[in-house]
Amino acid sequence: TEGTGGYRTIRVERRDRVAWIHLDRPEALNALNVQLMREVVAAATELDGDDGIGAIVVTGSERAFAAGADIKEMATKSTAEMRADGHFGGWAAFAAVRKPVIAAVSGYALGGGCELALMCDIILAADSATFGLPELSLGVIPGIGGTQRLVRALGYPKAAEIILTGRRVGAEEAERIGLISRVVPADRLLDEAQEMAASIAAKSLPALVAAKAAMDAALEMPLAEGIALETEHFTALFDTEDQQEGMAAFSEKREPRFRHR
Ligand code: CAA
């Protein structure tokens, strides 16, 4: 375990091939202000380019993953100001991370916090977690992808009910409707996230990146184009050392030793 310094609103920690980004603004329940966005994006981008890292976990505190975008920071802004600074635009770089990202959610994941979790590939939640998009109660709408990603995740009817009412969704319901991957007992959350991330990070890095790129395409492309892209990624992996090692290990009845290249 080794800390990476220089950040004020997050802490970064490495555990073998897994990197942890801890959101750390306890005074505001980890509300996502511009500084936190920039720090998360900077850390995630650096880790994405680090061959020693195979998976990233984003987490908050026991009380809050993140209680939304920072309402106080945007309260007095005009449309022209929001447009000029592209207020949430930086998050696109987080969604573009090539490696698998797991959200380990405890407590509140509201508004932008819920949207940040939805940008991750896998959401693990403590049984204490609550999700929701309460933006309409503030006179606005979700602004970090919530209207798009929730509709894709849940289908229109369920997403519409959650967005238009702004109601909170508990962890059990969130699992049942497919908003999250899995709910675990609160005291197991961090261990389960580390175990899952380690099992992912042990796999071939080129294959992980290809899998994520192909799955991302499923959200963007018509089926035939998506399948063509999958074929391209699948075929390209046959020039990797890890493909040779993975298939040789199968024949030799042993565990593969991936070199992640
Ligand atoms: N922005 C700024 N500050 C926030 C915040 C937010 N989203 N959420 C909580 N805080 C601050 C509170 O203002 C409070 O600070 P002070 O002590 O200085 O007053 C501190 O965090 C602790 O919060 P509470 O005292 O409110 O804690 P609570 O336990 O009583 O309530 C809560 C917890 C229900 C999560 C409540 O804080 C809350 O409703 N937060 C706002 C939730 C929300 O509306 N999120 C959507 C934001 S808009 C958005 O996200 C837009 C988008 O699409 C990107």
Side-chain angles (χ1 to χ4, degrees):
T1 301
E2 155 211 330
T4 305
Y7 296 118
R8 291 216 314 242
T9 64
I10 63 170
R11 284 179 294 112
V12 178
E13 183 195 350
R14 289 155 186 263
R15 298 185 199 163
D16 302 319
R17 292 186 58 75
V18 176
W20 284 71
I21 298 177
H22 299 267
L23 309 180
D24 192 19
R25 283 189 78 205
E27 71 283 5
L29 300 183
N30 294 332
L32 312 173
N33 64 4
V34 169
Q35 182 178 10
L36 181 142
M37 173 180 72
R38 291 198 179 124
E39 292 187 359
V40 169
V41 166
T45 304
E46 186 194 325
L47 297 165
D48 204 25
D50 181 339
D51 288 345
I53 295 298
I56 300 168
V57 184
V58 179
T59 197
S61 65
E62 204 177 312
R63 195 169 160 218
F65 179 71
D70 192 312
I71 299 170
K72 292 165 188 167
E73 189 180 58
M74 30 179 202
T76 61
K77 294 211 172 184
S78 66
T79 292
E81 286 169 314
M82 291 297 278
R83 200 168 270 151
D85 71 7
H87 197 71
F88 297 133
W91 287 112
F94 178 80
V97 166
R98 293 153 48 250
K99 291 175 185 170
V101 183
I102 297 173
V105 176
S106 176
Y108 298 110
L110 300 178
C114 184
E115 294 171 285
L116 174 58
L118 287 167
M119 276 187 264
C120 300
D121 302 294
I122 295 171
I123 305 176
L124 269 187
D127 46 21
S128 61
T130 41
F131 298 83
L133 292 172
E135 285 91 340
L136 271 89
S137 306
L138 298 166
V140 293
I141 67 169
I144 315 181
T147 63
Q148 304 306 298
R149 291 197 176 91
L150 204 67
V151 168
R152 281 165 166 79
L154 307 187
Y156 192 93
K158 207 36 135 181
E161 187 234 304
I162 289 169
I163 290 170
L164 297 177
T165 66
R167 76 174 172 89
R168 294 203 195 139
V169 177
E172 301 288 345
E173 182 188 357
E175 181 182 271
R176 182 161 46 78
I177 65 180
L179 198 164
I180 64 172
S181 317
R182 191 143 63 79
V183 54
V184 299
D187 61 0
R188 288 283 309 150
L189 178 70
L190 301 182
D191 287 343
E192 294 267 354
Q194 174 65 27
E195 278 167 34
M196 182 185 279
S199 84
I200 292 170
K203 300 198 165 44
S204 162
L205 186 53
L208 288 171
V209 168
K212 178 164 175 172
M215 289 190 289
D216 277 351
L219 298 174
E220 305 273 358
M221 288 183 171
L223 182 62
E225 276 179 48
I227 288 178
L229 188 104
E230 181 192 79
T231 300
E232 182 48 40
H233 280 296
F234 175 79
T235 308
L237 290 170
F238 281 74
D239 273 350
T240 62
E241 291 182 22
D242 284 353
Q243 175 270 337
Q244 290 165 33
E245 165 61 12
M247 294 192 181
F250 173 80
S251 301
E252 293 159 21
K253 302 187 189 299
R254 59 173 175 81
E255 288 298 308
R257 284 184 299 270
F258 292 123
R259 301 181 67 184
H260 308 292
R261 59 191 193 193

